[in-house]
């Protein structure tokens, strides 16, 4: 049976591959990807490989995403990544506010401006929110998530056809090989939905929530929860075509 909506699989390659390796991996994934009716597969290579991977996936059902963007499109911003250039390379998505970017000084305010910039350049923002281990232990997860979602979406008005993806990524789980219990994910996803909808009831049918953090082919279905959580961000397990295609193949 066909799914009512596509499930997202966002492959976050981080800064782990050379440009040539990114091209080769994209080609291998493209050759093995068979579920385009049910799965929206987005490859997010490192910025230097965006154009080349964009050429590989061009005309296919596989989509391209950036791992980050800056909030201005042009100007004297040495070293930043223009959302306009990212779109020009063929990207339709951009990860924003990943904990590995927040760690290097990206603030909630930056995240908010980047969400706006993404939308202005027809990029679908994949906004990551998540608590640290310390915050988790102090039972502050709910508060942290509500704050991050509220700040990320502040004053954001979506035009017809635009959407946002909110990704719950517990910081301490990323790359650990040990995903959190799916009941925790379900609880947090409900908080994200509630927060975003409270903020602007008009947003209600314009955002999707997904989960990221040590997703693999055995646990992937724990995190795709009905219409609540509609997909996953995959880091480590997206770095080999075999494991990513296996994971996609296992999605119910
Ligand atoms: P992981 O990374 O799958 O390796 O935990 C996920 C992410 O950082 O988005």
């Amino acid at each position: 049976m066909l799914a009512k909506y596509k499930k997202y699989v966002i492959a976050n390659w981080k800064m782990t591959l050379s440009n040539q390796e990114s091209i080769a991996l994209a080609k291998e994934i493209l050759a093995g990807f068979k579920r385009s009716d049910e799965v929206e597969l987005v490859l997010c290579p490192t910025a230097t490989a965006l154009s080349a991977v964009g050429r590989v996936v061009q005309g296919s059902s596989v989509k391209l995403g950036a791992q980050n963007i800056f909030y201005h499109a042009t100007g004297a911003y040495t070293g930043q990544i223009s959302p306009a250039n990212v779109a020009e390379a063929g990207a339709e998505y951009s990860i924003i506010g990943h904990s590995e970017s927040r760690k290097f000084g990206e603030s909630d305010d930056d995240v908010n401006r980047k969400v706006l910039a993404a939308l202005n350049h027809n990029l679908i923002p994949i906004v990551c929110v998540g608590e640290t281990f310390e915050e988790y232990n102090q039972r502050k997860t709910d508060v942290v998530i509500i704050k991050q979602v509220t700040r990320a979406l502040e004053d954001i008005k979506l035009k017809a056809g635009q959407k946002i993806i909110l990704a719950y990524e517990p910081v301490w789980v990323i790359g650990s090989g040990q995903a959190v219990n799916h009941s925790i994910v379900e609880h947090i996803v409900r908080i994200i939905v509630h927060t975003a909808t409270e903020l602007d009831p008009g947003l209600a049918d314009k955002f999707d929530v997904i989960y990221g953090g040590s997703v693999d082919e055995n646990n992937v279905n724990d995190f795709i929860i009905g219409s609540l959580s509609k997909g996953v961000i995959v880091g480590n397990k997206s770095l080999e075509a075999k494991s990513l295609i296996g994971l996609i193949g296992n999605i119910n």
Side-chain angles (χ1 to χ4, degrees):
M1 198 181 81
L2 281 185
K4 281 201 267 344
Y5 48 80
K6 283 198 187 184
K7 291 155 184 171
Y8 300 98
V9 174
I10 315 294
N12 179 9
W13 294 348
K14 312 194 178 186
M15 207 180 69
T16 60
L17 303 173
S18 72
N19 295 337
Q20 288 309 320
E21 286 166 342
S22 301
I23 295 167
L25 179 57
K27 285 182 178 164
E28 227 187 308
I29 290 170
L30 204 63
F33 178 55
K34 305 278 182 250
R35 301 189 70 185
S36 58
D37 287 346
E38 300 151 283
V39 172
E40 174 88 340
L41 174 60
V42 184
L43 304 183
C44 301
T46 191
T48 51
L50 263 176
S51 295
V53 172
R55 282 190 288 278
V56 174
V57 301
Q58 197 173 27
S60 78
S61 60
V62 176
K63 302 289 167 58
L64 185 70
Q67 294 176 11
N68 201 356
I69 50 166
F70 190 50
Y71 44 77
H72 289 301
T74 53
Y77 304 109
T78 305
Q80 301 299 327
I81 301 166
S82 159
N85 296 6
V86 158
E88 194 186 350
E92 294 174 55
Y93 291 82
S94 180
I95 296 173
I96 292 172
H98 192 285
S99 58
E100 289 157 13
S101 308
R102 291 184 191 252
K103 201 162 72 183
F104 295 103
E106 189 181 51
S107 66
D108 283 332
D109 201 36
D110 295 334
V111 170
N112 177 248
R113 295 169 82 177
K114 290 178 180 190
V115 171
L116 189 62
L119 293 168
N120 285 341
H121 291 87
N122 292 323
L123 298 166
I124 298 171
I126 303 166
V127 187
C128 301
V129 296
E131 81 287 3
T132 61
F133 190 53
E134 202 184 356
E135 289 162 341
Y136 173 79
N137 274 334
Q138 293 170 347
R139 300 178 191 277
K140 288 186 181 157
T141 303
D142 297 11
V143 179
V144 169
I145 298 298
I146 292 168
K147 176 175 163 277
Q148 289 181 350
V149 171
T150 305
R151 292 291 290 108
L153 300 182
E154 203 171 304
D155 294 329
I156 299 289
K157 296 277 173 246
L158 295 185
K159 299 191 189 108
Q162 289 186 323
K163 73 173 162 191
I164 291 183
I165 298 173
L166 295 162
Y168 172 47
E169 293 213 311
V171 177
W172 50 284
V173 170
I174 293 172
S176 71
Q178 200 73 54
V180 284
N181 186 294
H182 79 275
S183 61
I184 296 181
V185 175
E186 185 166 341
H187 170 69
I188 301 300
V189 170
R190 285 186 194 282
I191 288 180
I192 293 174
V193 171
H194 184 76
T195 307
T197 316
E198 282 260 291
L199 217 58
D200 178 0
L203 276 178
D205 54 350
K206 292 184 179 144
F207 70 89
D208 289 323
V209 185
I210 62 176
Y211 167 81
S214 294
V215 176
D216 61 34
E217 61 181 49
N218 298 317
N219 66 20
V220 61
N221 288 309
D222 289 347
F223 306 114
I224 301 181
I225 311 168
S227 59
L228 261 186
S229 168
K230 295 184 180 169
V232 286
I233 299 193
V234 188
N236 272 333
K237 300 294 179 185
S238 72
L239 295 173
E240 281 182 14
K242 195 167 164 273
S243 63
L244 185 66
I245 297 298
L247 182 153
I248 291 170
N250 278 0
I251 294 175
N252 287 336

